[in-house]
Amino acid sequence: ELVFVRDIINYAKRYSAKSDIKDEDITAGILKGALEKIDAHSTYYTKEEYAKLTESLAGSFSGIGIYIDSHQGVIRVIGVIKGMPAEKAGLKNGDYITHINSQSTFGMSLDEASGFLKGKKGTKVKVEVFRKDMEKTPEKPLEFEIMRDNIEVETVSSQKIDDILVVTISTFNEKTFDELLKSIQKYEKYSGII
């Protein structure tokens, strides 16, 4: 069966309109598809994807300090990390990022946008934003020039409500367990934990 797969790939490469297809991209696609069919809990990562994954699990990186998603083909801010450069500059949840360094974000992947927003500490990124309350004057977006900094993501928060300790874990990374212990230890007495 592998010979059959090889023959189909060679045929597709020969007659494809795309001339810049790399063998490693084809191999990655085959492995991703195969693992998806074999086990829904397994994923194949390329070297670049694995580097991004380990960076996210480390809990720190250099960037502007926002969480993003894609909404109707445009990058949208869904979270601004407190005390980080984006918050200090004035970005808000719900802002639509229309351009990053003068490049349109329409149709841009989240990985690509994230790559443009992250960068070396002390470097600047220019972000153009459309904000919903600007609907009356949409011809000129808000412009922000934001200095990138080290972003430390706190994954655990806690508060005491009556006699109950309420602990919230926003995401998991290498630091989550230690943060959880510190969060619990800062309160001396409580009758239960949620």
Side-chain angles (χ1 to χ4, degrees):
E1 292 206 16
L2 291 178
V3 172
F4 178 67
V5 171
R6 183 199 64 210
D7 291 344
I8 289 175
I9 290 170
N10 286 335
Y11 179 84
K13 282 172 58 178
R14 189 175 318 119
Y15 296 104
S16 173
K18 293 182 179 182
S19 61
D20 60 343
I21 300 171
K22 298 177 185 169
D23 286 342
E24 57 262 24
D25 293 338
I26 294 170
T27 302
I30 291 170
L31 292 172
K32 285 174 186 274
L35 283 176
E36 185 179 298
K37 289 293 181 188
I38 295 168
D39 179 9
H41 304 289
S42 297
T43 303
Y44 173 79
Y45 294 102
T46 64
K47 287 179 186 177
E48 296 82 15
E49 291 167 338
Y50 183 72
K52 288 178 185 177
L53 175 67
T54 56
E55 177 186 66
S56 71
L57 292 176
S60 64
F61 55 90
S62 292
I64 64 171
I66 60 173
Y67 296 104
I68 57 174
D69 75 354
S70 181
H71 181 72
Q72 297 178 343
V74 180
I75 302 301
R76 178 176 60 177
V77 178
I78 58 169
V80 179
I81 301 173
K82 188 174 172 116
M84 295 295 123
E87 183 193 50
K88 292 175 185 174
L91 285 180
K92 296 181 179 181
N93 287 348
D95 283 350
Y96 288 87
I97 299 175
T98 60
H99 291 80
I100 303 171
N101 290 331
S102 301
Q103 183 173 345
S104 172
T105 63
F106 186 75
M108 186 181 283
S109 74
L110 291 176
D111 281 343
E112 193 176 5
S114 180
F116 287 131
L117 294 168
K118 291 177 182 176
K120 189 175 179 183
K121 178 182 176 177
T123 60
K124 293 181 180 181
V125 61
K126 182 178 150 191
V127 178
E128 295 177 35
V129 167
F130 177 79
R131 191 168 282 159
K132 281 205 175 204
D133 59 6
M134 296 174 44
E135 288 176 352
K136 293 178 182 140
T137 56
E139 64 275 352
K140 188 165 185 200
L142 297 172
E143 292 184 9
F144 299 91
E145 190 169 82
I146 305 171
M147 182 84 67
R148 294 179 180 104
D149 200 353
N150 290 334
I151 308 298
E152 294 289 330
V153 180
E154 289 191 15
T155 63
V156 179
S157 63
S158 62
Q159 63 180 336
K160 195 171 172 184
I161 300 175
D162 295 325
D163 201 26
I164 304 293
L165 183 58
V166 179
V167 178
T168 304
I169 299 176
S170 60
T171 187
F172 289 92
N173 67 31
E174 291 178 351
K175 300 174 184 178
T176 302
F177 181 73
D178 292 335
E179 287 181 21
L180 177 62
L181 289 178
K182 285 180 189 173
S183 187
I184 291 171
Q185 290 170 353
K186 75 179 177 182
Y187 297 96
E188 290 183 23
K189 291 186 175 185
Y190 45 87
S191 62
I193 299 177
I194 297 177

